[in-house]
Amino acid sequence: EPLKDPETKAVLGHEAFYVGDARQLNEGSPADFLVKSTNQEVTTNYYLLPAPKPEIVNYLPRAPQKDIRARVLGLAGGVAYGGRDNVISINRGKADGIELGHVLALDLAGDKVDDRYQGKTTPYQLPERRNGLVFIFRTFEHVAYGLIMAADRPVQAGDSARTP
């Protein structure tokens, strides 16, 4: 699925979902694979990618040294709302100064409301408000993934993540 920046509408990358492991049985075209494990049905048009080499990463939780302003792109699993222990993606990555271990503050997006007074309607944007914390555990050039460590209210796409 394409990951679109909610601010610029640019495609930041494409997201793939892990569905299982397979082992190649022979060379050739077409090749045979043995599906060893899955967490959902495997259907046509799925991509096979080489398994990445395991990495041992030492995470050091810390606030970014520079001012980071990001938006939540979405939640893992395609759900609309999430909370503690859910994974989110944000529209900032390595190119923007995001590093493994960064901790960002999560803010609820301010609602847009209409003030109706004496027959006139005036639109207002309510301010954002602090909601929780997210720990960044995976970074790409323009996208990063984080684990919600705390949230007072549900987190959703469009909420902001920033330097605490």
Side-chain angles (χ1 to χ4, degrees), residues 73-92:
L73 294 172
L75 286 93
V79 296
Y81 300 97
R84 184 182 170 134
D85 297 334
N86 284 122
V87 173
I88 62 169
S89 56
I90 62 171
N91 68 335
R92 299 289 182 262

Side-chain angles (χ1 to χ4, degrees), residues 87-104:
V87 173
I88 62 169
S89 56
I90 62 171
N91 68 335
R92 299 289 182 262
K94 291 177 188 175
D96 307 295
I98 298 286
E99 298 174 6
L100 295 179
H102 275 169
V103 176
L104 302 173

Side-chain angles (χ1 to χ4, degrees), residues 30 45 53 60 67 77 85 89 91 118 123:
N45 297 323
K53 293 182 180 176
L60 176 63
D67 187 40
D85 297 334
S89 56
N91 68 335
Q118 294 181 345

